């Protein structure tokens, strides 16, 4: 059975001359066992008749929001049906609407209403493809997690030669296959993820904490579960909901996190430590609320265990992934932690940067590997970064 068998795919077809190639894409998807629904924009119908898709791929075709309804809210039904929304060809217009959240026809409304990943195969004239506004829209979509199949170079319908051709249908189908293969890439693996900050109690009402919300670690845990892993999420306090299919262990302090992580360590294939762990805790926790007095209050802090360092010392078969939260000398400090903690790779974020680090939905990171390699990634959604981290991890686990 191939990676597409039984997968629910919505194929969006927009109004470019390459729309005719989408017929072959639909036919190949169907032959590979996908359960297919097609949505055509009005422009697409000027190039190819809906009947062609219905006959070639035996797939229901939606052409308008306003036709005879098969379902009382058809776009929601399609949005919920989709495990993947593949748009081929994706015109500059569709890309701009999707980037802006415009929902003015069946396809764009489904795109807005779905939680399924988006895979886009842009096709257009070279100047339109290279125009700053299209590139900005592509960047906005990829930052939100959309995947792009880059257009091929060659003769275009407008007579020009350059980038903008729709890739061959076989290549588009391979990209969909690769997407679903990735979703199974951690099947049978046990992965421990830590997330959020720790709280170190001063007295019954106060604690020393940090600004971690858990978003980064929760995205990693959710994506690992989607890719088939058995996920244990050791989490500091956060209002975030437990991702589907994830076993969550709640902790408060660094010492509680230490105990929970060490208890699970022997049975896991990998650990990803996105939590922001307090290096110090108050030397004493007052039994009752500390009352204010006129003078200053001096706190004595004592060292917490370095959980990741301990894991590095006890490492046997496990892959260890750390995060480094820095505000300066990011590369040097991150590389230092990579070596000292015996990690396989470390994801370094400059938490002083806007839109990166604590609390926000995006991150901007460099990844440093034990073999000396380094990667710089653009600003992207934490969900998309989770995918990259897990791609790298899955590759290492395979070896
Ligand atoms: O949760 P969000 O709001 O989404 O924010 C995400 C994040 C900024 C918290 C995340 O991207 C991040 O950088 N996490 C690591 C924070 C951190 O504690 O970094 P560090 O450089 O101090 O520690 C390095 C590594 O050692 C980390 O993997 C950390 O989990 C681990 N560590 C640190 C101290 C300690 N006592 N025990 C540890 O295991």
């Amino acid at each position: 059975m191939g990676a597409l068998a039984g997968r629910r795919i919505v194929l969006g077809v927009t109004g470019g001359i390459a729309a005719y190639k989408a017929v072959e894409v639909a036919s190949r998807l169907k032959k590979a066992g996908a359960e297919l629904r097609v949505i055509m924009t009005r422009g697409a119908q000027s190039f190819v008749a809906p009947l062609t898709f219905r006959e070639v791929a035996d797939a229901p075709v939606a052409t308008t929001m306003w036709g005879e309804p098969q379902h009382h809210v058809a776009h929601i039904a399609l949005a919920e049906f989709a495990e993947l929304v593949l748009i081929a060809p994706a015109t500059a217009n569709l890309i701009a609407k999707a980037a802006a959240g415009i929902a003015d026809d069946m396809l764009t409304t489904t795109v807005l209403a779905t939680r399924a990943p988006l895979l886009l195969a842009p096709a257009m004239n070279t100047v339109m493809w290279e125009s700053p506004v299209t590139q900005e829209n592509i960047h906005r979509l990829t930052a939100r997690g959309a995947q792009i199949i880059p257009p091929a170079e060659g003769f275009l319908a407008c007579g020009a030669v350059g980038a903008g051709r729709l890739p061959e249908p076989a290549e588009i189908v391979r990209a969909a296959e690769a997407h679903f293969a990735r979703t199974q890439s951690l099947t049978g693996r046990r992965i421990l993820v830590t997330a959020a900050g720790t709280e170190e109690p001063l007295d019954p009402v106060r604690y020393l904490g940090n600004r971690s919300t858990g978003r980064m670690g929760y995205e990693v845990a959710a994506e690992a579960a989607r890719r088939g892993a058995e996920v244990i999420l050791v989490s500091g306090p956060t209002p975030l909901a437990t991702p589907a299919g994830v076993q969550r262990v709640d902790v408060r302090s660094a010492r509680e996190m230490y105990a929970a992580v060490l208890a699970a360590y022997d049975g896991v294939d990998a650990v990803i430590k996105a939590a922001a762990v307090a290096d110090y805790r108050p030397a004493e926790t007052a039994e009752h609320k500390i009352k204010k007095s006129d003078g200053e209050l001096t706190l004595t802090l004592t060292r917490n265990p370095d959980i990741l360092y301990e894991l590095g010392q006890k490492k046997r078969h496990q892959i260890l992934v750390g995060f480094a939260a820095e505000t300066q000398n990011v590369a040097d400090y991150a590389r230092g932690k990579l070596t000292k903690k015996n990690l396989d790779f470390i994801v370094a974020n400059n938490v002083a940067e806007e839109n990166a680090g604590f609390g926000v939905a995006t991150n901007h990171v460099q990844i440093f590997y034990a073999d000396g390699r380094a990667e710089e990634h653009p600003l992207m959604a934490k969900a998309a970064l989770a995918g990259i981290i897990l791609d790298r991890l899955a590759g290492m686990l395979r070896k």
Side-chain angles (χ1 to χ4, degrees), residues 216 220 271-275 308 320-326 330-331 333-335 337-338 343-351 357 363-370 373 375-378 380 382 384-390 392-393:
M216 187 67 245
V220 172
V271 180
I272 303 175
K273 279 213 88 258
L308 198 47
L320 283 187
V321 182
F323 271 75
E326 310 293 351
V330 177
Y333 287 144
R335 281 203 174 97
K337 288 173 184 174
L338 173 76
L343 308 178
D344 294 275
F345 64 95
I346 192 160
V347 183
N349 39 201
N350 184 339
V351 292
N363 212 347
H364 180 200
V365 305
Q366 291 167 279
I367 302 183
F368 300 98
Y369 296 88
R373 282 176 304 125
E375 289 170 357
E376 164 112 36
H377 293 277
M380 66 177 78
K382 282 180 176 167
L385 175 60
I388 289 175
I389 293 168
L390 293 170
R392 306 300 183 264
L393 176 65

Side-chain angles (χ1 to χ4, degrees), residues 119-330:
L119 177 59
L120 300 176
M124 64 197 75
N125 158 277
T126 307
V127 180
M128 288 169 84
W129 170 246
E130 288 174 352
S131 98
V133 67
T134 301
Q135 289 305 311
E136 209 177 293
N137 288 331
I138 289 283
H139 180 73
R140 283 166 75 185
L141 289 169
T142 52
R144 286 185 218 137
Q147 304 165 69
I148 306 293
I149 309 169
E153 302 220 354
F155 283 101
L156 304 174
C158 57
V161 180
R165 270 172 71 90
L166 187 74
E168 289 310 310
E171 197 184 319
I172 295 171
V173 173
R174 265 199 301 277
E177 262 166 4
H179 167 79
F180 285 109
R182 268 198 304 278
T183 66
Q184 292 154 16
S185 61
L186 293 174
T187 301
R189 303 294 188 180
R190 296 191 86 212
I191 302 200
L192 173 63
V193 180
T194 70
T198 58
E199 293 180 356
E200 310 298 324
L202 267 169
D203 67 15
V205 297
R206 305 179 181 96
Y207 60 81
L208 298 181
N210 63 64
R211 294 172 47 217
S212 173
T213 57
R215 282 180 95 152
M216 187 67 245
Y218 274 58
E219 292 292 0
V220 172
E223 183 60 21
R226 280 195 287 271
R227 292 177 182 213
E230 199 182 312
V231 182
I232 304 168
L233 172 62
V234 177
S235 173
T238 167
L240 294 177
T242 309
V246 166
Q247 180 195 338
R248 172 167 160 182
V249 180
D250 284 318
V251 297
R252 226 164 239 291
S253 65
R255 283 186 296 174
E256 284 175 27
M257 184 170 280
Y258 176 84
V261 168
L262 268 286
Y265 190 41
D266 279 348
V268 300
D269 299 297
V271 180
I272 303 175
K273 279 213 88 258
V277 186
D279 288 318
Y280 294 91
R281 66 177 182 278
E284 282 176 19
T285 303
E287 194 184 337
H288 296 288
K289 184 180 174 190
I290 300 170
K291 304 306 283 180
K292 64 172 167 290
S293 56
D294 289 342
E296 289 177 346
L297 175 69
T298 304
L299 294 175
T300 305
L301 302 180
T302 188
R303 274 299 302 263
N304 268 331
D306 186 325
I307 307 168
L308 198 47
Y309 175 81
E310 291 270 338
L311 300 183
Q313 294 297 301
K314 294 183 183 354
K315 182 165 158 181
R316 288 184 297 122
H317 57 280
Q318 295 92 343
I319 304 282
L320 283 187
V321 182
F323 271 75
E326 310 293 351
T327 56
Q328 58 175 344
N329 302 333
V330 177

